[in-house]
Every structure is written in C-alpha cells, then in structure tokens.
Amino acid sequence: MPYFDSASSAPLHPVARQALQAALDEGWADPARLYREGRRARLLLDAAREAAADAVGCRPDELVFTSSGTRAIHTGLAGAMAGRRRTGRHLAVSAVEHSSVLHAAKGFDATEVPVGRSGAVSPGDFGAALRPDTAVAALQSANHEVGTVQPVAEVAGMCREAGVPLLVDAAQSLAWGRVEGDWSLLTGSAHKWGGPAGVGLLVVRKGVRFASQDPADERESGRAPGFENIPAIVAAAASLRAVRDEAAAESARLRALVDRIRARVPELVPDAEVVGDPVRRLPHLVTFSCLYADGEAVLHELDRAGFSVSSGSSCTSSTLTPSHVLRAMGVLTEGNVRVSLPLGTAEADVDRFLDVLPGVVAGVRGRLGAPVSPGSAADARADADAGTDTGTLLVDALGKRCPIPVIELAKVIGDVPVGGTVTVLSDDEAARLDIPAWCEMREQEYAGERPVEGGTAYVVRRAR
C-alpha cells in the first residue's frame, strides 16, 4: 500500500532502526554519571550531537535535543522572547507557520505577515512587520502543507539589520539540506526525516539572548529538562546523516515524479487547482484541490484504493474550519489532497495513483450531485440565451457544509443573465474561501459578502 504522507511522518529509515537497536544495548545508562556505563552513554550522546550539528551547520554546543519538534519550537520562542523582554513583547511570524508556532505566538503581541497565492512571504512585507519592540521573528524554511520554500536568507538578513533574532522551523527541509542565511535559532523534528518520533532539536546560536522558561535542570544546557532518550537521539542523528547522503539523488528523482503529478492532475481531473510555488518548493510534496469534492470523502476513497494521503480541507478537521495555510493563500480548499512522497517511492505507484484519482474524484462529485465539467465559454453563451429574465437568485445553503454551497451556486449561475447576481447564504467558514476561488476558476465576478442572520451572504455576479 503506497504511503504518500511523509510530510506528516516519514517511515522509519533502515539506518535509524539499526542505530536504535544498537543504542538500546549501549546507551541506557545516565550520561551524567562517571562510571563505565555512564561514560559509554555520554560518548553516544556527544557523537549524536556532533553528527546533528554537522548536518544543521552549527556548533555542537549550540544544539540540544528535545522531546519533539513542537517542544523545540515552544522552548525556543519562549526562551528567546524572555531573553529580549526589555526590547518588547512583539513577535513577527508568517501567516502560514506550523500551528505549533501560531499557538505559541498567542501569548505575545504577534503580527502575522501575509503570503501570496504561492504561499511565500515577501521579504519586503516581512521587513515592514519588524518594529522597534519586536523581540523575535519566526519563519519556516518550507511550508508543511504546500511545499513552498520561504526566502529565509533574505528575511534573515533583514532581521539581522534590525537586530531581531530569527527562529526558523526547519522540520520539513532538514532532510534535504542545510538552511541558508544568518538565522539565530532553528528547530527540527526527527520523525519528519525518518528518525524515531519523540526527538526534536533546538539550535540557539552563540550570542543570542536566551532565558529558558523551564525549571532549572542540568541536562541539555538547561534548555530541555529530563533524562535524555539516548537510543532515540542516536537513531535520529544517524538517520539524518543517512538521508542527507541520499538527498541529492532522491531529490532529483522525486522532483520529477512530483512534476508529473503537478502536470497530470489538471489534465485528468476537471476543475482541479494545484497550489504552492511550482519552482521554489520541496522536491517531494504537491498539494491540489478539487472543486465540488468533499476532502474527507476523497481521502477515504483513496485509502480504499490503497493510497495514504492527507488533506487541508475543513471536512477533514475536527474544527470544521479550512487549513489556515490555504486560507492565508486565498486558494480553493474543497477536495484538498496533499501528496508527500517518501524516499524510495516507486514510479509505478505514482502512475497508479494518477490512474485511480480521476475515478475517485468523479465518484465523490457524483454522490454530491455536482455539475459535470461545467463552465466552458460555449456553455456560458448557451446558458445566457436560455437564462431566466430575473436578475438575481438566492441560494439558501445555511446548515450545509462545503462543497455543497459551491455546488448549489454552480447549478444556478446559468439561470441569471450576464450581469445578474446569485446570493449564497452559508454558515460554513470554508465558503469564505471557496466561493471567491470558484469565481476565479469559473471567470465569474465575486461581488462581496455581508453578514446575515445565521451566517453570511456571498454575492456572485455572472460575468459571462
């Protein structure tokens, strides 16, 4: 069964498995003790730290191991903010950071820097968000949902000029190489590159003011309290080195497979939108959305067909709200599918995925009563001739989740003349993104929104 969700968690690398098993026998003792078993454990821990530091591009004494990537982010942000508390409590972050960053930012005066439709921040916009009271800035190296690589080096330069330390969440990119630029803090997560879960890393450059907010502890320079999980740390460092050795060849191979998916999905699936930067992106990740499709249903059907993928659609979330990343980009969220290929993915598996996908999406759309490939110019002209004389229609979709409001809109847009309007009532947060996205894809005019009792009225004007 092909596993296409390595951005969530990569399969355990064979080197990690071997190192973990070996370290279980040798690295179980307390590395702070001076007897033989403790010295042996200390040697393993120090060697792992040196290997990880070499992969990251920092000094070994700048790197500590934490219990997860999320823990590394929370510790890094809290410590850096506390270390610069005299500067202020302002934090600048991109709007597409991992949720662990955005959750941590809620405790401060945070500015979310917007992104474009590709998912990348503008260095100029990020620089403009820095203020005299900005204590810390945070920017991911690459996005976890759409794969867009961020301009870290340019932003780091601006932060350095402003005297603001930059924390980089490098969880998604460390497998492929070092993060360039003059950053100040960096975090990573072992299970993203094929190491075991439960190991993160935090780098704090020398000279960065940092005050740990955890209770005092002598381990990991006082920045990660608790007994080190040495076998898992050894496996994490060994697997990072191993995937780096494979990175150049696998990057080129997986990029070609992702290019095939990016090119073929719009050809095979009507009304599909591939999102994320087509060039400045991670080599193994591609995300697309399918109009008139329910994301959860698409995922279930792909799972039944033997493919494990993920989604940012609101229907796959317990909060019933669309992905904050897709929302910030202003792109379609319906029927969203993220494919992230692990190392060693077979070309035949990608081809079979492309063979299966059109039927899956068509089946989901059919069960929802979606229009069949609507929207050609010829259809629009025919609809204009056959349209009713009324200039406006109302679609009451209150209580219905996307993609139903969009499907209902698509069914009736031809019933108003060119220049007429359709008003869609919806209480689904995803409609705020998906109706404007539908207008852009269908070359119709989005005329705005207004609050109404029980939800929001979205107005669409027929343009053709």
Side-chain angles (χ1 to χ4, degrees), residues 149-462:
V149 172
Q150 300 289 355
V152 172
E154 294 93 325
V155 169
M158 291 182 172
C159 289
R160 181 66 64 179
E161 290 180 7
V164 176
L166 176 68
L167 181 148
V168 177
D169 170 14
Q172 292 294 336
S173 71
L174 275 180
W176 306 106
R178 293 179 176 179
V179 177
E180 301 300 325
D182 198 9
W183 46 266
S184 300
L185 302 96
L186 182 142
T187 63
S189 184
H191 75 101
K192 302 292 188 181
W193 66 66
V199 179
L201 58 84
L202 168 65
V203 178
V204 181
R205 294 284 200 191
K206 292 297 181 183
V208 175
R209 296 183 65 85
F210 190 93
S212 177
Q213 297 303 286
D214 289 314
D217 193 287
E218 70 277 8
R219 298 181 187 276
E220 293 300 296
S221 303
R223 293 172 182 169
F227 195 95
E228 299 95 338
N229 185 348
I230 292 178
I233 288 172
V234 169
S239 58
L240 181 56
R241 176 179 288 178
V243 298
R244 282 290 185 81
D245 289 343
E246 303 167 11
E250 275 295 272
S251 175
R253 195 180 70 83
L254 294 180
R255 184 174 290 273
L257 294 178
V258 166
D259 283 342
R260 184 181 305 176
I261 297 173
R262 292 183 66 93
R264 293 289 288 152
V265 165
E267 297 173 353
L268 296 170
V269 181
D271 300 313
E273 178 184 23
V274 180
V275 300
D277 196 293
V279 179
R280 287 180 55 86
R281 60 174 176 81
L282 294 171
H284 68 305
L285 194 155
V286 57
T287 299
F288 54 89
S289 298
C290 305
L291 198 61
Y292 312 129
D294 177 275
E296 184 175 9
V298 171
L299 262 60
H300 282 321
E301 290 304 313
L302 286 172
D303 183 48
R304 286 164 58 91
F307 294 94
S308 301
V309 299
S310 64
S311 171
S313 293
S314 61
C315 49
T316 66
S317 167
S318 59
T319 62
L320 292 178
T321 57
S323 151
H324 70 277
V325 172
L326 301 179
R327 183 171 64 244
M329 294 168 62
V331 298
L332 183 69
T333 71
E334 303 178 0
N336 181 261
V337 176
R338 181 186 70 179
V339 174
S340 48
L341 306 178
L343 301 179
T345 295
E347 182 178 358
D349 287 338
V350 171
D351 288 339
R352 191 166 72 84
F353 173 79
L354 291 171
D355 288 339
V356 166
L357 181 67
V360 165
V361 175
V364 170
R365 287 171 170 170
R367 288 193 293 276
L368 291 172
V372 180
S373 299
S376 70
D379 291 340
R381 287 192 294 271
D383 287 341
D385 294 337
T388 66
D389 292 332
T390 182
T392 183
L393 282 177
L394 179 69
V395 173
D396 186 354
L398 293 171
K400 299 177 181 178
R401 298 297 177 188
C402 282
I404 299 302
V406 180
I407 291 174
E408 297 301 320
L409 167 62
K411 287 180 176 179
V412 302
I413 191 67
D415 293 340
V416 298
V418 172
T421 62
V422 176
T423 299
V424 181
L425 305 182
S426 177
D427 55 356
D428 185 358
E429 181 66 24
R432 180 166 280 109
L433 295 176
D434 291 345
I435 290 177
W438 177 88
C439 291
E440 182 170 338
M441 294 177 71
R442 299 267 58 85
E443 299 180 5
Q444 305 295 348
E445 178 185 351
Y446 180 63
E449 63 185 69
R450 66 179 186 275
V452 296
E453 183 178 356
T456 303
Y458 301 93
V459 183
V460 176
R461 181 172 291 109
R462 182 170 176 179

